[in-house]
């Protein structure tokens, strides 16, 4: 196979990127649930026939973990000669389906050109379902789906669809979102076939291989620019599912143009915090690419110079039947640990610890007008770590998440909930020459009885600062009058409320080096209190402490 000229490779690479972005927009616009149409909790990608990533849309990094082994799982279950145009495979299982947790349902459709299977178009949508469940092991967490045919030769396998929907709490919403996923994949098939008609499929596939080689070269060059050495960093994990704190660490070793990342952590546990190896890979690829060279194309080539390991059976590389629903909390901690290690090698490129969380509120109840079940899932931003030359961002999603804020109007229109306060939390960003990003406070009031579960971390630990910067504020849940949380869950009666406060992020550099004008602006904008302005930043003319 002859490699096309560089201009053709670049044009085809841009076309592949355009295809996955169009698939993503199709999925978002055609979906029914607020989690996809508003919060955009979905991803799309293209793979070659061997299951290697050709291109992933710039959506949510952790979803790569659900894509990495999906095609390989399909190929192990179904001989290539038995796969036909119009087939579509659905799966979600963390151990047999290539997924990382059960709400992320993946659909994959083969792309045929001239009767030959040449690629796969794949998408993932987080279905806001499978809530109000246990998390001692994966069997409690929802329906496990290995890769099975949802469509055979373009014909819906209604028995498979019925089996899936019967196990869902809001089946009508699930059906609409599954149809949107099918529509997105059909766009991917048509666009890739159109690209093959224009350039020839062999040229397109050769360009895909050349783009992977290009990504590998760029990653190797970025690693080679680092000093050789080994850097270690440690952190702890905490949430309501585990007692105390769990120690975690990473050791990053650079040798020439290759990098090894050796993680360590406690044994997997009876809680939803365990992460699969593919989730560890997706998190690691994201953070290394972000620090070393964000322009590296998002394809399989970037992983070739990286070696990632963690003890099998640990919370960082779990095995069946470990529960994985809240694996994203652990992924966030992993990302920040890698940053902590790389800060010792390239401090000017690395931010302090972000909120290290993906704070999630799960609601389930009955609609007052017709008694139907409703489920609402919301992930909430927090502080982003301060940088060598800039403050951290306030109230944003960080690292492996990238979903949008659901507008208050949409929330209150769709569900029997009211949002009575939504604000940044003063003094939650770590102090420093550059201030860490602030966490958020959201106050929810039920207008009809419902149950809520809150998945939050950094309650017993704090997001660390770098080079003299202070830690970020704790995450916490604040129950209103009459609301009693049993661990992470509570029942809300009509009129009752509670608040979620997400963690702040660490500061960068010693606070005595902060520009007084910046500290004065923080005070005026309510980012810091008068006490912090006076006692930490040395501003004068402020009221004395009580």
């Amino acid at each position: 196979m002859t490699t096309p000229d560089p201009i053709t490779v670049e044009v085809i690479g841009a076309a592949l990127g355009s295809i996955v972005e169009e698939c993503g927009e199709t999925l978002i616009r055609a979906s029914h649930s607020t989690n996809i149409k508003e919060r955009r909790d979905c991803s799309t990608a293209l793979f070659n026939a061997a299951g290697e990533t050709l291109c992933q849309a710039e959506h949510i990094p952790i979803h790569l973990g659900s894509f990495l082994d999906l095609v390989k799982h399909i190929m192990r279950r179904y001989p290539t000669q038995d796969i036909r145009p119009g087939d579509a495979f659905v799966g979600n299982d963390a151990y047999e389906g290539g997924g990382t947790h059960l709400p992320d349902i993946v659909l994959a459709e083969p792309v045929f050109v001239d009767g030959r299977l040449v690629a796969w178009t794949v998408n993932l949508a987080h279905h806001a379902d499978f809530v109000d469940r246990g998390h001692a092991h994966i069997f409690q967490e929802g329906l496990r789906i290995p890769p099975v045919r949802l469509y055979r030769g373009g014909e819906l396998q209604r028995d498979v669809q019925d089996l899936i929907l019967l196990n869902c709490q809001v089946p009508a919403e699930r059906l609409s979102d599954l149809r949107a996923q099918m529509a997105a994949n059909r766009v991917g098939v048509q666009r890739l076939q159109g690209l093959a008609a224009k350039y020839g499929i062999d040229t397109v596939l050769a360009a895909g291989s050349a783009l992977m080689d290009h990504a590998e070269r760029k990653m190797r060059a970025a690693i080679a620019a680092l000093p050789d050495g080994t850097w270690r960093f440690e952190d702890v994990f905490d949430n309501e599912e585990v007692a105390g704190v769990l120690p975690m660490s990473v050791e990053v070793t650079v040798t020439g143009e290759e990098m090894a990342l050796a993680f360590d952590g406690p044994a997997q546990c009876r809680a939803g915090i365990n992460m699969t190896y593919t989730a560890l890979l997706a998190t690691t690829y994201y953070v290394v690419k972000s620090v070393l060279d964000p322009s590296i194309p998002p394809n399989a080539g970037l992983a070739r110079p990286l070696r990632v390991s963690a003890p099998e059976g640990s919370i960082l590389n779990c095995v069946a039947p470990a529960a994985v629903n809240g694996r994203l909390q652990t992924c966030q901690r992993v990302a920040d640990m890698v940053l902590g290690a790389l800060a010792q090698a390239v401090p000017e490129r690395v931010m302090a610890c972000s909120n290290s969380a993906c704070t999630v509120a799960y609601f389930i109840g009955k609609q007052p007008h017709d008694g139907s079940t409703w489920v609402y899932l919301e992930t909430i931003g927090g502080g982003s770590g301060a940088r060598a030359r800039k403050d951290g961002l306030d109230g944003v999603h960080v690292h492996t998440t990238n979903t949008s804020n659901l507008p208050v109007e949409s929330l209150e229109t769709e569900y029997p909930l009211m949002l009575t306060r939504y604000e940044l939390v003063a003094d939650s960003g770590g102090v420093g020459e550059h201030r860490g990003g602030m966490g958020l406070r959201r106050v929810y009031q039920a207008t009809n009885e419902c149950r809520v579960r809150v998945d939050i971390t950094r309650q017993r630990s704090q997001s660390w600062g770098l080079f003299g910067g202070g830690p970020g504020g704790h995450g916490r849940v604040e129950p209103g009058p009459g609301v009693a949380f049993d661990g992470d869950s509570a029942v809300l009666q009509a009129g009752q409320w509670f608040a979620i406060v997400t963690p702040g992020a660490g500061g960068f550099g010693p606070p005595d080096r902060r520009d007084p004008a910046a500290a004065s602006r923080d005070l005026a904008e309510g980012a810091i209190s008068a006490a912090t302005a006076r006692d930490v930043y040395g501003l004068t003319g402020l009221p004395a402490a009580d």
Side-chain angles (χ1 to χ4, degrees):
M1 186 181 296
T2 303
T3 301
D5 64 87
I7 294 176
T8 301
V9 170
E10 185 68 20
V11 170
I12 291 176
L16 295 175
S18 177
I19 290 171
V20 293
E21 293 294 342
E22 184 181 359
C23 290
E25 289 303 312
T26 300
L27 173 52
I28 290 163
R29 289 174 179 271
S31 64
H32 177 74
S33 68
T34 57
N35 200 49
I36 303 170
K37 72 181 180 184
E38 296 278 5
R39 299 191 57 255
R40 306 171 73 92
D41 195 349
C42 57
S43 290
T44 54
L46 290 171
F47 289 79
N48 64 17
E52 297 175 303
T53 312
L54 288 172
C55 190
Q56 182 182 6
E58 294 182 357
H59 290 172
I60 300 176
I62 188 56
H63 287 169
L64 177 62
S66 295
F67 292 154
L68 281 172
D69 282 349
L70 177 67
V71 172
K72 296 173 185 176
H73 276 288
I74 294 172
M75 302 300 279
R76 279 195 290 268
R77 293 175 63 88
Y78 301 94
T80 303
Q81 62 270 23
D82 291 345
I83 298 174
R84 298 286 184 265
D87 286 356
F89 298 85
V90 61
N92 73 342
D93 190 61
Y95 302 106
E96 298 295 332
T100 62
H101 78 163
L102 300 184
D104 287 348
I105 296 180
V106 183
L107 260 67
E109 184 166 349
V111 181
F112 283 82
V113 174
D114 297 330
R116 170 183 163 202
L117 197 167
V118 296
W120 293 81
T121 177
V122 180
N123 69 63
L124 177 154
H126 184 134
H127 289 253
D129 216 293
F130 304 155
V131 302
D132 197 21
R133 297 170 183 255
H135 300 286
H137 46 72
I138 196 169
F139 299 107
Q140 293 183 343
E141 295 192 311
L143 177 66
R144 299 176 64 187
I145 311 170
V148 294
R149 282 189 178 91
L150 183 61
Y151 283 77
R152 184 187 297 270
E155 293 294 324
L156 172 66
Q157 305 302 287
R158 192 169 297 278
D159 53 352
V160 174
Q161 178 179 279
D162 289 347
L163 175 63
I164 294 171
L165 296 179
L166 184 63
N167 285 273
C168 294
Q169 292 159 317
V170 192
E173 191 174 83
R174 301 288 70 75
L175 177 59
S176 295
D177 288 346
L178 284 170
R179 288 171 173 169
Q181 289 185 260
M182 276 303 303
N185 273 350
R186 294 284 165 81
V187 170
V189 171
Q190 293 168 8
R191 296 294 183 267
L192 194 56
Q193 288 174 337
L195 193 65
K198 182 174 183 179
Y199 291 97
I201 188 57
D202 290 337
T203 299
V204 171
L205 295 178
S209 296
L211 288 165
M212 285 189 274
D213 292 341
H214 175 60
E216 178 184 1
R217 288 193 298 272
K218 286 179 71 68
M219 180 61 81
R220 289 187 181 278
I223 296 172
L226 300 175
D228 282 4
T230 297
W231 305 278
R232 180 180 174 83
F233 197 84
E234 300 176 355
D235 203 342
V236 296
F237 182 86
D238 63 282
N239 77 353
E240 285 295 326
E241 293 186 75
V242 297
V245 297
L246 304 179
M248 304 165 62
S249 67
V250 64
E251 194 170 86
V252 178
T253 300
V254 171
T255 306
E257 57 183 26
E258 295 190 347
M259 177 183 288
L261 300 99
F263 294 90
D264 197 12
Q268 64 189 49
C269 57
R270 288 173 63 86
I273 65 172
N274 306 287
M275 58 191 293
T276 62
Y277 183 62
T278 52
L280 180 65
L281 291 179
T283 303
T284 304
Y285 296 163
Y286 146 76
V287 70
V288 172
K289 176 182 182 294
S290 299
V291 173
L292 269 57
D293 184 355
S295 70
I296 296 174
N299 63 46
L302 68 84
R304 294 172 183 168
L306 304 178
R307 302 291 178 268
V308 182
S309 64
E312 190 174 70
S314 70
I315 64 170
L316 304 179
N317 182 10
C318 65
V319 296
V324 294
N325 186 71
R327 88 288 186 225
L328 200 50
Q329 306 285 14
T330 316
C331 294
Q332 300 287 66
R333 203 71 102 247
V334 164
D336 277 318
M337 283 199 307
V338 175
L339 291 177
L342 292 177
Q344 301 165 55
V346 283
E348 71 283 355
R349 297 192 202 172
V350 174
M351 66 175 66
C353 185
S354 292
N355 67 86
S356 274
C358 177
T359 304
V360 188
Y362 307 87
F363 297 86
I364 184 170
K366 297 290 185 180
Q367 291 284 8
H369 61 278
D370 63 2
S372 62
T373 299
W374 63 273
V375 172
Y376 174 55
L377 173 150
E378 177 169 88
T379 58
I380 311 168
S384 176
R387 297 155 285 180
R389 297 177 182 84
K390 293 182 179 180
D391 291 347
L393 301 176
D394 301 318
V396 294
H397 278 258
V398 298
H399 297 324
T400 54
T401 68
N402 195 29
T403 53
S404 298
N405 163 83
L406 181 67
V408 175
E409 296 83 0
S410 296
L411 187 155
E412 296 181 350
T413 299
E414 298 266 359
Y415 309 106
L417 294 169
M418 290 181 60
L419 202 64
T420 61
R421 296 180 72 178
Y422 186 20
E423 61 193 3
L424 296 168
V425 180
D427 283 336
S428 59
V431 299
E433 179 180 5
H434 300 290
R435 178 179 55 79
M438 292 184 285
L440 291 167
R441 176 182 285 107
R442 282 172 74 89
V443 181
Y444 303 86
Q445 184 176 45
T447 59
N448 203 51
E449 180 182 338
C450 65
R451 291 187 61 82
V452 62
R453 176 176 178 264
V454 180
D455 191 0
I456 192 170
T457 184
R458 290 296 190 195
Q459 295 165 283
R460 297 183 287 273
S461 64
Q462 290 178 276
S463 298
W464 36 266
L466 283 177
F467 308 110
H474 290 287
R476 62 186 184 274
V477 175
E478 300 171 341
V483 177
F485 272 81
D486 180 10
D488 56 13
S489 301
V491 175
L492 300 177
Q493 301 298 330
Q496 291 184 326
W497 62 268
F498 76 101
I500 296 175
V501 177
T502 64
F508 197 108
D512 58 10
R513 294 180 57 182
R514 186 161 179 78
D515 183 352
S520 296
R521 183 175 64 250
D522 286 344
L523 178 62
E525 294 177 350
I528 61 174
S529 64
T532 298
R534 181 186 58 248
D535 301 338
V536 176
Y537 293 116
L539 296 187
T540 59
L542 299 175
D546 294 335

